[in-house]
């Protein structure tokens, strides 16, 4: 009860300090407002941009280990591309060998992709990302369907001419019409549509999108495209468990199985690369960490100025209310009450400035920057309020301490 009473009285003092000299208060809080706005705006932009970019790479999957000729990670100065170029690509035999022996993976799959044109009557869609897949493709990569279904294992094994297409392809070939069960032509071969992907929308980069993708059985794909060293290279991929230990175990087991299948001696180096899809996401995250640090620097100077402004208000407030402090102490007010009173006022003032900055960022989030959607997250809101509270405490602790240590007799004499 005492705490609530102290809080209410401190709130009244803070409100009086605001209303007594509104212009001075607004100008002093402007630094905090600008600083919090700069930091939270940068963080909101960075988070939104990072999420958009990472979603653009969603086609790589999560916790996925790929067998490729070229590694994802290597320095540009000493990248021995000629050595990687001579490596053999993955094969269906290696996929089946790994599928039979791999124990650390949730699923193993093989796929191959090419660019093709889809036709339906007089309508055509060029630049389609055509991918031949195994039945386990859905267990390694996310296949979210808006309508229809995925292939059955029997349909995959029989290399049936069935297709799952993206929303953009469906709207182009059969505008304003149901497409499930309709026929499309790919390289002169007829395919029956059994499913449509969920719409992803336009991304920031020209990366593969499910809206412009088409899945067909792997055997049907090999009828149209030659796969192998001099053709389209298939990719073997395995999905590991969620923890890092599971991925390490998966990498070690896949390496042993691939070396055994390719007959490599213990002294011979690998003629394949195992790539984690998280490498790209981690690289993107490290870039945005640098941008976030720059946001702290930019906003930090404004917050520093705002902190001096709040400290100035508090020193003036202590001087103006010196006789009131003396009266409160003579009536039995403890030092901690005076300290809390002024400290609460400083935090309250800082929160007003920080809240205004966050509100400006919220209004900014309604702006549409091309295909980038700005989202002010709860984490960034709490970060802004937390930083504002810390600035209030740091700025108000010295004036509040001076007020709490005032001698009541000398304070009452001050007019």
């Amino acid at each position: 009860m005492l705490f609530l009473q102290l809080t209410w009285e401190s709130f009244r003092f803070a409100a009086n300090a605001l209303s007594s000299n509104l212009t001075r208060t607004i100008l002093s809080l402007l630094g905090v407002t600008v600083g919090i706005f700069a930091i939270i705006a940068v963080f909101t932009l960075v988070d939104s941009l990072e999420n958009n970019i990472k979603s653009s790479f969603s086609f790589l999957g999560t916790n996925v280990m790929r067998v490729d000729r070229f590694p994802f990670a290597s320095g540009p100065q000493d990248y021995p591309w000629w050595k990687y170029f001579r490596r053999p690509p993955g094969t269906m035999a290696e996929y089946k060998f790994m599928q039979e022996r791999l124990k650390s993976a949730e699923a193993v799959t093989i796929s191959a992709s090419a660019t093709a044109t889809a036709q339906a009557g007089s309508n055509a869609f060029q630049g389609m990302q055509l991918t031949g897949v195994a039945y386990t493709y859905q267990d390694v990569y996310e296949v979210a369907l808006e309508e229809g279904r995925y292939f059955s294992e029997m349909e995959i094994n029989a290399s049936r001419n069935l297709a799952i297409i993206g929303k953009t392809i469906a709207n182009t070939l059969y505008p304003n019409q149901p497409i499930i069960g309709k026929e499309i032509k790919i390289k002169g071969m007829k395919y029956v549509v059994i499913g449509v992907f969920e719409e992803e929308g336009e991304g920031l980069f020209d990366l593969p999108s499910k809206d412009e993708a088409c899945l067909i059985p792997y055997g049907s794909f090999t009828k149209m495209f030659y796969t192998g060293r001099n053709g389209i290279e298939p990719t073997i991929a395995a999905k590991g468990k969620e923890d890092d230990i599971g991925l390490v175990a998966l990498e070690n087991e896949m390496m042993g199985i691939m070396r055994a299948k390719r007959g490599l001696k213990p002294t011979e180096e690998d003629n394949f690369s195992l790539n984690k899809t998280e490498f790209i996401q981690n690289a993107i995250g490290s870039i945005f960490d640098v941008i976030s640090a720059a946001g702290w620097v930019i906003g930090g100077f404004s917050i520093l100025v705002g902190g001096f402004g709040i400290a100035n208000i508090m020193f003036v407030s202590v001087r103006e209310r010196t006789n009131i402090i003396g009266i409160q102490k003579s009536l039995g007010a403890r030092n901690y009450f005076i300290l809390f009173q002024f400290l609460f006022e400083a935090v309250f003032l800082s929160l007003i400035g920080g809240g205004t900055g966050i509100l400006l960022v919220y209004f900014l989030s309604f702006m549409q920057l091309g295909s980038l959607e700005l989202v002010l997250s709860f984490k960034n809101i709490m970060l802004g309020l937390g930083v504002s509270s810390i600035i209030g405490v740091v700025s108000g602790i010295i004036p509040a301490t001076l007020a709490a240590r005032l001698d009541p007799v000398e304070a009452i004499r001050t007019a």
Side-chain angles (χ1 to χ4, degrees), residues 133-395:
V133 300
Y135 178 71
T136 52
Y137 184 86
Q138 62 176 340
D139 300 323
V140 176
Y141 300 100
E142 182 181 359
V143 182
L145 300 180
E146 183 176 299
E147 54 182 319
R149 62 176 178 85
Y150 189 70
F151 310 104
S152 68
E153 190 170 7
M154 183 180 297
E155 291 168 343
I156 292 286
N157 294 335
S159 302
R160 297 278 302 277
N161 285 6
L162 303 175
I164 299 173
I165 64 175
K167 194 70 175 178
T168 304
I169 302 174
N171 293 336
T172 302
L173 300 183
Y174 288 96
N176 303 319
Q177 297 182 49
I179 195 170
I180 301 298
K182 298 289 181 63
E183 287 186 350
I184 63 174
K185 281 187 177 182
I186 305 173
K187 297 195 72 172
M189 299 179 63
K190 293 182 180 179
Y191 284 80
V192 178
V193 178
I194 62 171
V196 178
F197 289 115
E198 287 183 358
E199 188 173 6
E200 284 189 348
E202 185 181 357
L204 287 178
F205 302 99
D206 189 17
L207 294 172
S209 169
K210 287 189 173 72
D211 295 341
E212 301 175 355
C214 175
L215 299 185
I216 61 174
Y218 187 84
S220 180
F221 181 89
T222 57
K223 294 177 183 178
M224 293 185 290
F225 299 93
Y226 175 74
T227 57
R229 173 176 286 277
N230 298 320
I232 296 173
E233 298 179 11
T235 299
I236 300 172
K239 186 175 181 64
K241 298 177 181 179
E242 297 296 328
D243 54 17
D244 293 335
I245 298 177
L247 284 176
V248 172
L250 175 63
E251 183 178 9
N252 293 333
E253 190 177 4
M254 287 180 68
M255 183 177 296
I257 291 174
M258 286 297 297
R259 288 183 64 87
K261 177 61 178 174
R262 294 191 174 183
L264 298 177
K265 297 178 182 179
T267 56
E268 292 181 295
E269 65 175 78
D270 297 335
N271 60 355
F272 58 89
S273 293
L274 296 180
N275 292 317
K276 299 178 184 177
T277 55
E278 278 70 19
F279 169 78
I280 295 178
Q281 295 184 350
N282 293 337
I284 294 172
S286 63
I287 293 173
F288 284 107
D289 287 342
V290 176
I291 299 176
S292 298
W296 276 109
V297 173
I298 294 171
F301 287 106
S302 297
I303 287 181
L304 186 64
V305 174
F308 286 131
I310 291 176
N312 178 59
I313 291 178
M314 298 312 301
F315 278 117
V316 173
S317 182
V318 169
R319 178 172 296 181
E320 290 176 346
R321 302 207 312 254
T322 300
N323 56 345
I324 298 177
I325 295 171
I327 295 173
Q328 288 177 327
K329 281 196 166 187
S330 64
L331 295 176
R334 301 291 182 88
N335 285 350
Y336 72 87
F337 170 73
I338 304 298
L339 178 70
F340 178 81
Q341 184 182 107
F342 282 92
L343 200 58
F344 181 89
E345 183 176 331
V347 173
F348 180 70
L349 292 173
S350 184
L351 282 175
I352 291 177
T356 305
I358 294 173
L359 189 62
L360 292 176
V361 177
Y362 175 72
F363 290 136
L364 183 67
S365 66
F366 288 102
M367 294 177 58
Q368 193 71 24
L369 302 177
S371 60
L372 178 63
E373 181 183 0
L374 295 178
V375 178
L376 177 59
S377 64
F378 179 76
K379 178 191 74 173
N380 286 335
I381 293 176
M382 297 307 298
L383 176 64
L385 295 178
V387 172
S388 300
S389 301
I390 293 173
I391 292 300
V393 171
V394 172
S395 302

